[in-house]
Amino acid sequence: MKGEYFKEVSRLTPTRFWINNVTVQEARWALEAGAVGCTQNPSYAWKILDGSDDSGYARELLQRILAEEGDDAQALAVLQRELVRRVAEEFLPLYQQSQGRLGYVSIQGDPFREDADSIVHFARFNRQAGPNIMAKIPATQEGLKAISILAAEGVPINATECMAVRQVIDACETYVESTRGLRHPAPMYFSLITGIYDEYLQNTARRQQVDIDPSVLWQAGISIAKKVHAIVAQRRYPCGFIGGGARGLHHFTEMVGANAAVTINWKGTADKLLSQDAPVVCRFLQPTPFSVEDELIEKLEDYRKAYFIHAIQPQEYEDFGPVVLFRSTFEKNWRSALDLIAALRR
């Protein structure tokens, strides 16, 4: 049936559809189309404030928050939580019907405060928005410390900003160790941000004038995803896989067949896939050619860091190029929202 693409993906493969940074209406459309989860990030509040269909509601809500909260950063954190609460309410019936297996909405804290104590604080704070709220935590050295605390407390976790195989392994190992002995641990997913990783490598190759076949470069992120997928299965980590940061339709279609969820934006990605209504093809299970991996390993240092388990250390995660690129968008939009708050105060 026309417009059933994501439902067909779920019917024919283990791949699932999650939606990213949605308005309430987009959340409803996504659920109708077959979405089973949702990710939000620190750009969310600014996206809603800056001309979305929900901007009027968001600005009225912000004015009420500012009347009670004197600290600008805290006011923004409250605004983000309350905006995400509305989306979480849309996914709550799915969460309840699935007995907590589906219907999560993940939310991250202040991107300028990512020490372990602050991450834990924002996770507990955001969990107040509903039972299906999942704490989104960067898989950095400080984030791993926060994961160990929150997993032991039974907080559902989305370990995000993963750009390297080693990051995923460290996040999964931290979760396994922290939940040892718990009878019913809350779930943890890790988000491998394939799209942003590809964008970063393409920018690097262009800037450094690396002579590399564009078709080879196009496969970089998905080849990392395939290695992660195999390792997680081999080691039997009890963690869910989310592919994220899509920069093209292929960041969904090339993942079809993976035992994973893929999170994409509604406008420009999910809506296009629905309108195209292409056949469901399991592309992910096709191995990456050795010649492709060899050329990427030979020519791009940041591919080697992402691909080889011992090529990067936990203290390097926060300053790893693709992680910095990903976080820079959050910081820019969080700062834009703070600027708006300052203007409203004046």
Side-chain angles (χ1 to χ4, degrees):
M1 185 181 297
K2 187 72 173 174
E4 298 285 293
Y5 175 72
F6 297 114
K7 293 178 181 177
E8 285 296 283
V9 168
S10 294
R11 185 176 72 85
L12 297 171
T13 81
T15 310
R16 298 294 177 262
F17 164 43
W18 280 40
I19 197 69
N20 180 62
N21 266 10
V22 286
T23 65
V24 171
Q25 181 58 62
E26 287 171 343
R28 292 169 182 161
W29 288 333
L31 282 162
E32 184 178 349
V36 297
C38 177
T39 54
Q40 314 283 48
N41 61 47
S43 296
Y44 182 66
W46 179 243
K47 172 188 172 176
I48 299 302
L49 289 165
D50 188 33
S52 76
D53 293 342
D54 290 341
S55 62
Y57 169 83
R59 286 172 182 258
E60 289 178 11
L61 175 60
L62 177 57
Q63 291 285 14
R64 294 199 297 271
I65 293 169
L66 293 180
E68 299 179 2
E69 177 55 62
D71 181 82
D72 288 2
Q74 182 60 23
L76 179 51
V78 173
L79 175 67
Q80 178 185 241
R81 184 186 68 183
E82 296 310 303
L83 290 174
V84 172
R85 184 195 299 273
R86 299 176 74 216
V87 175
E89 288 171 354
E90 297 295 326
F91 279 85
L92 186 57
L94 179 60
Y95 172 84
Q96 294 169 333
Q97 292 160 14
S98 67
Q99 298 182 323
R101 292 186 306 104
L102 307 173
Y104 283 100
V105 176
S106 68
I107 175 175
Q108 197 167 339
D110 185 334
F112 292 101
R113 295 175 58 190
E114 292 197 330
D115 59 283
D117 288 343
S118 294
I119 293 169
V120 169
H121 163 76
F122 283 114
R124 292 168 177 163
F125 173 78
N126 288 326
R127 280 280 292 164
Q128 298 170 20
N132 58 330
I133 291 294
M134 178 174 275
K136 200 172 188 182
I137 300 172
T140 60
Q141 193 168 33
E142 288 294 298
L144 293 172
K145 296 176 187 176
I147 288 172
S148 68
I149 294 168
L150 294 165
E153 292 179 359
V155 174
I157 292 168
N158 177 357
T160 187
E161 299 182 17
C162 294
M163 302 286 183
V165 173
R166 173 75 180 270
Q167 277 182 286
V168 171
I169 292 172
D170 284 350
C172 291
E173 289 285 352
T174 299
Y175 173 78
V176 169
E177 183 61 32
S178 301
T179 57
R180 198 180 304 279
L182 295 183
R183 292 188 63 186
H184 301 290
M188 188 187 86
Y189 287 78
F190 60 83
S191 287
L192 186 72
I193 314 299
T194 312
I196 299 294
Y197 179 75
D198 278 346
E199 180 183 346
Y200 174 80
L201 280 193
Q202 289 162 8
N203 292 342
T204 300
R206 190 179 307 112
R207 185 177 65 253
Q208 297 178 356
Q209 297 183 323
V210 177
D211 182 18
I212 187 168
D213 186 335
S215 296
V216 167
L217 193 56
W218 188 87
Q219 298 181 69
I222 200 69
S223 71
I224 300 296
K226 289 176 181 179
K227 183 171 183 178
V228 164
H229 191 268
I231 288 174
V232 169
Q234 179 188 41
R235 299 190 182 191
R236 299 184 180 180
Y237 289 134
C239 303
F241 183 165
I242 299 175
R247 287 297 179 267
L249 302 186
H250 66 286
H251 286 125
F252 188 95
T253 57
E254 293 296 315
M255 287 290 293
V256 171
N259 184 12
V262 186
T263 179
I264 54 180
N265 291 340
W266 181 261
K267 290 182 179 177
T269 308
D271 58 352
K272 284 188 177 179
L273 287 168
L274 285 170
S275 66
Q276 290 181 2
D277 207 29
V280 174
V281 180
C282 290
R283 302 181 186 280
F284 189 82
L285 303 180
Q286 178 70 30
T288 303
F290 292 135
S291 60
V292 169
E293 294 179 338
D294 286 348
E295 185 169 353
L296 289 164
I297 289 166
E298 176 189 354
K299 295 182 176 179
L300 292 166
E301 179 185 1
D302 288 321
Y303 184 82
R304 294 193 292 274
K305 285 185 175 182
Y307 187 84
F308 292 117
I309 294 174
H310 300 294
I312 190 169
Q313 299 298 315
Q315 60 268 26
E316 299 177 82
Y317 294 160
E318 187 169 1
D319 296 320
F320 188 31
V323 174
V324 173
L325 174 63
F326 193 39
R327 194 171 58 242
S328 67
T329 302
F330 301 160
E331 292 173 347
K332 175 178 177 290
N333 290 326
W334 192 268
R335 193 178 292 113
S336 294
L338 287 174
D339 289 344
L340 173 63
I341 288 172
L344 292 173
R345 292 230 193 251
R346 290 194 297 270

